[in-house]
Amino acid sequence: MLAAMPPTPPTPPEAGEALIRDRGDACPGALRLHAAADGHLARLRLPAGRLTPRQLDVLAGAAEALGDGSLSVTSRGNAELRGLDGGCGARLAGLLADAGLLPSPTHERVRNIVASPAAGLDGLGHADVQLWARALDAALCAEPRAAALSGRFLHVLDDGRGDVAGLGGDVTLIAAPGGAATLVLGPRALTVAAADAVPAALACALAFLDAAEAAGTGAWRPRELPAAHLPEWGAALARAGIAAEPVPLPSRPVVLPPAPGPLGERAVHVLAPLGRLTAAALRALGAGADEVRLTPWRGAVVVGATRDRLPALAAHGLVTAPGDPRTGVTACTGAPGCAKSLADVRADAARAPGGPLPVHYSGCARRCGHPHGPRTEVTALGPDTYLLDGAPVPRAALAEAVAAARTSPMES
């Protein structure tokens, strides 16, 4: 059944108590539409952000025929269609299924996999984790119990360069030299053979489900479990026949978006201004490409393209050079698209001055879609007042204050 579902607020815990969620996760999906102020939205999970040119064309057509004409890229490299009519669910599902974007309707919201977007393209990293992502997606979809994971549970696969390891994964795999992988599970880390990386990730996801069932608190992610019910990670891996040894927790990397432009000899990296791609831009990305990988920096890696494609992509409004002031600027939906937003933050973000430090504009204190890593935070208190890194700033002085903040020393 296709339905519009409201967000589910958690039951606030008392001091020292574990978070208790007394309702199921209502995170939007491709088959569970969410009612917003600008219409309904569908969120499509795209493991490693991967799309074929045909799939890009299908999404462009769906955005034009059913939505507001654009696609939003999320901070997990997934995609959202907005401005949908509440009755279009069956038609949208048919389009997505025909394009191979719904391999498992029962698991479509749990295919949350972020992987190093440049893996296998530029000679960096220790393994092509894009291949891991495809194998993990297939393993999740083939495991009936995995359908019980929350739509927020996240797998992160880093090829060793450190670009996505700090994105807050619930299960993080970092490729290591010599055919090994580091498995990071909150405050714990273990080393496994690279050949066991995907089975280890699946085993840990299922171990979380066991722990969450035993805790009975409705936890969506391991960090929400009470201390007495943490997963027995080592035992779960042993039951799966996977050898694992404890290792020191890797240092947390500073996550900054890679510069837009050429990526090796056969790919380019571009950014979508404020995370929005028009239907025309989607088609331009797919033209002549081998594949396109949406990124957690709200951009795309176009595989099979060289630097001579950049002018054509720039003509569609994409950010193609590191000097573009739109680099590193992100924003939530804001007003009027979100009823909770206190201001049209996207209008202010579109005028953001450039600077080396990323900046995120939020319409309310929830700060939806904020990036990880060092950044300047701009949060609306009302239509004419913002908080900038915790200090009130009138809207009339916002641009000058953001310019100063974006050039401040970076802190992780």
Side-chain angles (χ1 to χ4, degrees), residues 14 22 29 38 69 77 116 136 141 154 161 175 181 190 211 288 306 333 380 393 398 404:
E14 299 292 334
D22 50 14
D38 58 349
S116 296
L136 178 56
C141 291
L154 177 63
R161 74 182 68 207
L190 305 100
T306 56
T333 298
V393 176
L398 185 61

Side-chain angles (χ1 to χ4, degrees), residues 4-410:
M5 302 291 289
T8 305
T11 301
E14 299 292 334
E17 292 185 353
L19 175 67
I20 297 176
R21 297 191 183 276
D22 50 14
R23 297 181 185 178
D25 170 30
C27 196
L31 302 180
R32 176 184 283 178
L33 305 187
H34 170 77
D38 58 349
H40 288 70
L41 72 86
R43 184 174 299 158
L44 285 63
R45 270 62 175 193
L46 305 172
R50 181 174 178 266
L51 288 164
T52 66
R54 176 175 176 266
Q55 289 170 338
L56 284 164
D57 187 60
V58 168
L59 291 178
E64 291 172 323
L66 305 177
D68 63 6
S70 297
L71 180 141
S72 295
V73 184
T74 76
S75 60
R76 292 182 170 187
N78 289 320
E80 286 184 351
L81 293 167
R82 301 188 66 95
L84 301 169
D85 183 275
C88 78
R91 183 180 174 191
L92 176 62
L95 290 172
L96 298 177
D98 289 344
L101 291 167
L102 283 178
S104 173
T106 56
H107 291 65
E108 62 95 7
R109 293 191 313 131
V110 307
R111 302 169 66 224
N112 289 305
I113 304 171
V114 172
S116 296
L121 298 176
D122 59 2
L124 302 178
H126 302 298
D128 187 350
V129 294
Q130 291 282 322
L131 300 178
W132 292 6
R134 298 179 199 181
L136 178 56
D137 181 37
L140 286 168
C141 291
E143 171 52 62
R145 286 195 61 220
L149 290 168
S150 157
R152 299 156 202 262
F153 192 96
L154 177 63
H155 288 90
V156 170
L157 312 178
D158 191 298
D159 69 359
R161 74 182 68 207
D163 59 341
V164 297
L167 294 183
D170 298 294
V171 175
T172 296
L173 282 164
I174 305 172
T182 302
L183 180 62
V184 180
L185 305 157
R188 293 194 59 191
L190 305 100
T191 185
V192 299
D196 289 331
V198 168
L202 178 62
C204 288
L206 300 180
F208 161 72
L209 288 177
D210 291 338
E213 182 178 356
T217 58
W220 295 342
R221 310 183 71 177
R223 68 195 68 172
E224 298 176 356
L225 289 169
H229 289 88
L230 296 180
E232 297 180 357
W233 305 116
L237 293 169
R239 287 194 298 272
I242 298 169
E245 295 292 334
V247 293
L249 193 68
S251 59
R252 182 179 178 182
V254 173
V255 180
L256 290 175
L263 192 63
E265 297 182 355
R266 59 186 187 95
V268 297
H269 173 228
V270 298
L271 298 174
L274 299 183
R276 296 285 277 171
L277 291 166
T278 64
L282 288 169
R283 294 188 175 102
L285 286 170
D290 296 334
E291 68 178 33
V292 172
R293 303 170 183 177
L294 301 186
T295 76
W297 308 289
R298 293 181 170 87
V301 169
V302 185
V303 182
T306 56
R307 67 170 62 243
D308 59 6
R309 281 285 309 282
L310 293 174
L313 296 175
H316 287 279
L318 297 169
V319 178
T320 60
D324 193 310
R326 297 172 296 173
T327 302
V329 180
T330 56
C332 71
T333 298
C338 176
K340 294 183 181 295
S341 181
L342 302 175
D344 184 358
V345 293
R346 296 181 75 83
D348 287 316
R351 296 187 289 268
L357 188 64
V359 58
H360 183 71
Y361 289 72
S362 300
C364 71
R366 295 185 305 164
R367 299 182 299 119
C368 291
H370 66 81
H372 289 262
R375 62 188 179 274
T376 286
E377 285 280 356
V378 179
T379 307
L381 295 177
D384 297 313
T385 308
Y386 283 87
L387 280 179
L388 195 157
D389 293 337
V393 176
R395 186 169 183 264
L398 185 61
E400 182 180 357
V402 169
R406 294 194 73 186
T407 58
S408 298
M410 298 184 186

